[in-house]
Amino acid sequence: MMSSSFNIFSVGISFVMVCIFYKSSVDSLPELSPQKYFSTLQSGKASLAYFCQADSPSTSIFLEELNKAVKPLQDYGISVAKVNCVKEEASRYCGKEKDLMKAYLFRGNILLREFPTDTLFDVNAIIAHVLFALLFNEVKYVTTLERLQNIEDTLKGKANIAFAYVRAIGTPEHRAVMEAAFVYGTTYQFVLTTEIALLGSIGTEDIEYAHLYFFHCKPVLDLTQQCRRTLMEQPLTTLNIYRFIKSMEAPLLTEVAEDPQQVSTVHLQLGLPLVFIVSQQATYEADRRTAEWIGWRLLGKAGVLLLLRDSLEVDIPQQANVVFKREEGMPVEYLVLHDIDLVISHVENNMYTEEVREDEDNDIEEPDMDTLGIQDDEVAETVYRDRKRQLPLELTVELTEETFNATVTASDSIVLFYAGWQAVSMAFLQSYIDLAIKLKGTSTMLLARINCADWSDVCTKQNVTEFPVVKMYKEGENPVSYAGMLGTEDLLRFIQLSRISCPVNITSVQEAEEYLSGELYKDLISYSSVSVLGLFSPTMTTAKEDFTEAGKYLKGCVITGIYSEEDVSILSNKYTATLPALLLARHKEDKVESLPLANTHAQDIVQIITNSLLETFPEITVENLPTYLRLQKPLLVLFSDGSINPQYKKAMLTLIKEKHLDSLTPCWLNLNFTCSGMETSSSRL
């Protein structure tokens, strides 16, 4: 039984936004202090708020989109407030850089989910993500035909299915489906996919745009029989989906014996025409079968009725076998059509359906997804290009609520927490499986994964509120979260460096020398070009505790060791180090340098070690750019059309050595190794 902690119909949800301050004309949002805001949260009521810092730069575009979402969210019972961060009131959502530009979803005062705000790129994305997070039970996300078939088989004879394909999460079509699920989620099982291959596998020829199918599973009693499927042919908008579902609820065929001009059904209210199949007693059974067949063909397009001529009090032309009623108040048409296809064609050519699109600019052409070279969103591009790639998921263990605790306590484990509906998660899942391939047969570490879209309670208990997240579980130790880049090589590095204790306890001078030379852990040198050794006298208890805490924090990032024997002075004298001290062994340069640690706390030690891992004049790459941006210094970038000129590098290193560039982060960029760089290179160099 799948677990979910979401039930929007019985509990309240709070949705909290941490953003960078922007002063605009938006004054419709109530302004509260953090203390006042949290005191107003009540069980059974939903709330959306954003926390702002007065000294932060503006994010006007984001706030404009958030303001557009205020009224729609209020319609779903989610109130909106602006929370002003003030120095007098401490709040975990104010002042921390890592918490900025994230959206927080709460139930009461309990944090439920985090979203990076770059996924909330417009009003549609905001509403779609919020509702998607709330509707765990009402909307199942699937990626395989097998999963879809399992849901279909489970619901045969029980409930119908609304199956939707959207090209990406957060699009207007995704919002429309979520809004429909909010209303109809307890009546129908909504199923969502972004897998274009899955849509193609159910027989859709035109798969360029979003689609919605209605699976008629409730009448199916034979489990071997496939549920009938009706395609919604209009664009996926909230109004069109509403009309479509309401038409699915209407009877397939209705018998009437009154003047067609006076007949009115729900179809006319939805803007759909009526088709009357004229019958008489002698041909009733055959006419009814024909009318039912036409009813299935026109389902969602028109209402079909069987008109009993023999019971009519008004006369209709003797030759007419079809009556067509376009809309309320208009005269009916009497037709002579002897072929079912002619009936269908007449309806499709003459019916009037008001199509409502979210984007009313019909001059804007949709991009051709099959010929588009590179998408703006590189994560979406990765998922799209690899959509047909079959991943060997069996190389990792799939966890559930029942198996999670037993698995992570039975063996050392790496667990990927991901959401099957999220593009970043699905892109990283591919890297995770690549990692499993690399480690196959060589590692004692168990690689596991859990889909938080299915097992949200487990993820919440593990303090996982954003995706994807990787955690390492070892017996007797607290779980360690992976904080590196979402790539195969970086995660492999984390796992390999986590094989040893951090810090390693060095027990002799000889062992310390082997450690500094790289011989002690030579199989790990390729993953950490710097080895860090803390030197302490036996009596420096506090300093050793701070270093040990720092070493644990840096586990998986760098090799750290600690030496605290009586003869520590031998090492301190050799490397001219004043205790307590750090020895940094740079294996590529074959040198050891020392740094003092007097009165240095754990957090400062982490920063010292982290900075020591950085190159003096690095080549900037996608992987290391965030690291250098965290230094909070302007980047001084030397652009190179290929490898850097040795003369230029020498000149830059001289300036760095003479401390002329201390206020900057000097670096260089190979334009031939980046997509944007190649374009810049060809146009400017």
Side-chain angles (χ1 to χ4, degrees):
M1 188 77 179
M2 284 193 179
S3 170
S4 175
S5 56
F6 296 90
N7 189 334
I8 61 169
F9 302 102
S10 61
V11 299
I13 303 296
S14 301
F15 179 78
V16 180
M17 170 63 57
V18 174
C19 70
I20 296 179
F21 182 78
Y22 168 64
K23 198 170 185 67
S24 71
S25 60
V26 177
D27 54 9
S28 59
L29 301 176
E31 297 191 25
L32 304 172
S33 67
Q35 182 179 0
K36 178 63 176 176
Y37 170 71
F38 286 111
S39 69
T40 61
L41 296 181
Q42 300 178 16
S43 176
K45 293 193 175 182
S47 175
L48 168 66
Y50 67 92
F51 287 73
C52 292
Q53 297 195 28
D55 57 349
S56 299
S58 66
T59 54
S60 58
I61 296 177
F62 175 73
L63 284 183
E64 287 173 6
E65 297 301 320
L66 185 62
N67 186 56
K68 294 175 186 176
V70 170
K71 180 61 170 64
L73 288 174
Q74 288 176 340
D75 291 340
Y76 294 114
I78 304 173
S79 62
V80 182
K82 182 170 72 172
V83 181
N84 294 322
C85 296
V86 292
K87 294 181 179 179
E88 293 78 14
E89 295 184 23
S91 172
R92 59 167 291 192
Y93 306 104
C94 296
K96 291 186 179 181
E97 181 184 356
K98 66 177 182 178
D99 291 328
L100 292 176
M101 304 315 295
K102 284 185 179 179
Y104 296 83
L105 186 63
F106 286 83
R107 180 190 293 116
N109 288 314
I110 301 174
L111 180 62
L112 202 63
R113 179 73 58 83
E114 294 181 12
F115 303 107
T117 55
D118 56 4
T119 65
L120 309 179
F121 43 83
D122 64 11
V123 60
N124 295 308
I126 294 171
I127 296 170
H129 276 286
V130 171
L131 294 183
F132 198 12
L134 304 183
L135 299 173
F136 261 58
N137 285 330
E138 289 76 15
V139 184
K140 300 295 184 184
Y141 182 83
V142 299
T143 58
T144 64
L145 183 60
E146 180 183 9
R147 173 72 170 136
L148 176 61
Q149 189 63 57
N150 288 340
I151 295 175
E152 182 177 335
D153 290 342
T154 301
L155 294 178
K156 286 177 180 176
K158 300 177 183 177
N160 296 319
I161 298 173
F163 170 67
Y165 160 76
V166 296
R167 288 181 294 171
I169 301 299
T171 59
E173 293 83 4
H174 180 220
R175 170 186 171 179
V177 173
M178 291 303 103
E179 290 181 317
F182 191 94
V183 177
Y184 293 106
T186 56
T187 306
Y188 306 108
Q189 177 63 67
F190 278 72
V191 180
L192 181 73
T193 189
T194 54
E195 295 293 325
I196 198 168
L198 179 56
L199 189 65
S201 67
I202 65 173
T204 300
E205 295 180 0
D206 180 10
I207 54 178
E208 183 179 358
Y209 300 108
H211 284 67
L212 179 71
Y213 279 92
F214 192 89
F215 286 19
H216 304 267
C217 294
K218 192 171 184 177
V220 179
L221 301 178
D222 183 358
L223 296 182
T224 63
Q225 179 185 347
Q226 187 182 68
C227 301
R228 279 182 178 267
R229 298 169 180 178
T230 301
L231 172 66
M232 174 180 152
E233 297 187 0
Q234 291 75 32
L236 258 64
T237 66
T238 303
L239 182 56
N240 282 342
I241 295 175
Y242 166 79
R243 288 170 167 169
F244 179 71
I245 291 180
K246 292 298 288 184
S247 70
M248 296 299 104
E249 295 175 341
L252 179 69
L253 179 66
T254 303
E255 292 189 11
V256 294
E258 58 182 298
D259 184 358
Q261 193 70 53
Q262 305 302 319
V263 174
S264 180
T265 71
V266 67
H267 301 89
L268 293 178
Q269 300 170 19
L270 297 174
L272 302 177
L274 297 181
V275 177
F276 298 82
I277 305 301
V278 181
S279 177
Q280 52 192 358
Q281 188 173 358
T283 59
Y284 172 79
E285 293 298 335
D287 294 337
R288 184 175 178 83
R289 287 194 297 270
T290 300
E292 287 179 348
W293 179 244
I294 293 174
W296 282 113
R297 293 278 300 274
L298 291 178
L299 193 58
K301 302 177 182 178
V304 178
L305 303 94
L306 189 64
L307 181 62
L308 306 177
R309 183 194 294 268
D310 297 337
S311 303
L312 283 176
E313 296 181 358
V314 296
D315 293 330
I316 63 174
Q318 188 62 36
Q319 299 301 318
N321 62 350
V322 176
V323 181
F324 183 71
K325 186 173 184 178
R326 187 189 302 274
E327 59 181 279
E328 201 79 66
M330 288 189 65
V332 298
E333 300 178 49
Y334 296 97
L335 307 170
V336 180
L337 301 172
H338 296 294
D339 185 275
I340 290 178
D341 289 337
L342 292 177
V343 177
I344 305 300
S345 297
H346 184 84
V347 173
E348 292 179 343
N349 293 335
N350 290 277
M351 71 177 184
Y352 172 73
T353 302
E354 181 184 0
E355 296 184 356
V356 181
R357 292 181 180 270
E358 298 295 337
D359 184 356
E360 296 181 355
D361 187 359
N362 294 325
D363 294 330
I364 299 178
E365 296 184 1
E366 293 286 343
D368 185 347
M369 298 298 286
D370 289 329
T371 59
L372 190 61
I374 295 177
Q375 298 185 30
D376 291 337
D377 188 333
E378 293 185 9
V379 174
E381 177 192 356
T382 299
V383 175
Y384 175 76
R385 287 183 173 176
D386 290 344
R387 66 194 185 281
K388 295 183 180 179
R389 177 184 173 191
Q390 294 296 318
L391 297 176
L393 296 176
E394 66 278 2
L395 294 179
T396 61
V397 176
E398 184 176 9
L399 301 179
T400 66
E401 185 177 35
E402 290 75 21
T403 62
F404 184 89
N405 289 332
T407 302
V408 299
T409 56
S411 60
D412 293 346
S413 307
I414 292 283
V415 180
L416 166 63
F417 298 84
Y418 70 101
W421 50 264
Q422 187 199 47
V424 177
S425 286
M426 299 312 293
F428 184 54
L429 179 60
Q430 297 167 9
S431 298
Y432 193 67
I433 297 302
D434 289 340
L435 172 69
I437 294 173
K438 284 179 176 288
L439 292 177
K440 184 178 180 181
T442 64
S443 176
T444 58
M445 186 74 65
L446 177 70
L447 266 64
R449 56 188 166 83
I450 183 167
N451 188 346
C452 295
D454 292 334
W455 308 103
S456 58
D457 282 353
V458 177
C459 300
T460 301
K461 289 176 182 177
Q462 296 301 314
N463 199 29
V464 174
T465 56
E466 58 180 347
F467 315 108
V469 168
V470 174
K471 289 194 175 189
M472 176 179 290
Y473 294 82
K474 284 191 172 185
E475 185 179 0
E477 300 180 13
N478 291 326
V480 177
S481 295
Y482 171 66
M485 293 290 292
L486 300 181
T488 302
E489 295 303 324
D490 292 276
L491 185 53
L492 176 62
R493 178 173 176 266
F494 171 75
I495 292 175
Q496 298 290 38
L497 292 180
S498 297
R499 285 164 38 196
I500 60 175
S501 301
C502 281
V504 176
N505 188 30
I506 305 298
T507 58
S508 68
V509 172
Q510 180 181 354
E511 187 181 13
E513 293 290 9
E514 291 176 356
Y515 174 87
L516 293 171
S517 68
E519 284 298 314
L520 191 60
Y521 296 109
K522 58 184 178 182
D523 57 328
L524 297 179
I525 295 304
S526 60
Y527 300 104
S528 178
S529 60
V530 176
S531 295
V532 180
L533 182 63
L535 299 181
F536 307 91
S537 68
T539 59
M540 295 178 174
T541 305
T542 302
K544 287 190 291 183
E545 289 176 350
D546 285 334
F547 180 79
T548 300
E549 183 180 345
K552 290 179 179 178
Y553 182 86
L554 292 169
K555 184 172 184 176
C557 300
V558 63
I559 301 173
T560 59
I562 184 170
Y563 189 73
S564 180
E565 301 298 326
E566 295 289 347
D567 56 356
V568 67
S569 59
I570 297 175
L571 292 172
S572 63
N573 292 334
K574 178 178 179 179
Y575 295 105
T576 319
T578 302
L579 300 180
L582 281 183
L583 296 184
L584 304 175
R586 300 186 182 277
H587 303 297
K588 288 184 179 180
E589 304 167 33
D590 195 24
K591 69 176 184 180
V592 177
E593 59 185 81
S594 64
L595 295 173
L597 278 184
N599 301 317
T600 307
H601 300 295
Q603 187 175 358
D604 299 320
I605 296 174
V606 169
Q607 193 62 54
I608 291 171
I609 295 175
T610 301
N611 289 345
S612 72
L613 301 178
L614 303 180
E615 296 181 46
T616 306
F617 183 49
E619 177 187 0
I620 290 296
T621 64
V622 173
E623 291 76 18
N624 66 21
L625 179 59
T627 301
Y628 288 98
L629 289 177
R630 280 196 289 269
L631 297 176
Q632 297 184 339
K633 293 181 181 180
L635 297 182
L636 178 63
V637 183
L638 175 63
F639 293 93
S640 176
D641 187 14
S643 299
I644 189 171
N645 187 309
Q647 284 186 302
Y648 297 160
K649 183 175 182 179
K650 182 178 180 180
M652 291 294 290
L653 290 174
T654 300
L655 291 172
I656 294 169
K657 186 176 181 180
E658 295 175 356
K659 299 188 178 300
H660 295 299
L661 303 177
D662 283 357
S663 62
L664 305 170
T665 299
C667 55
W668 67 281
L669 178 67
N670 187 342
L671 294 176
N672 289 338
F673 286 172
T674 64
C675 297
S676 58
M678 284 186 260
E679 181 179 348
T680 304
S681 176
S682 60
S683 61
R684 300 195 177 184
L685 292 184

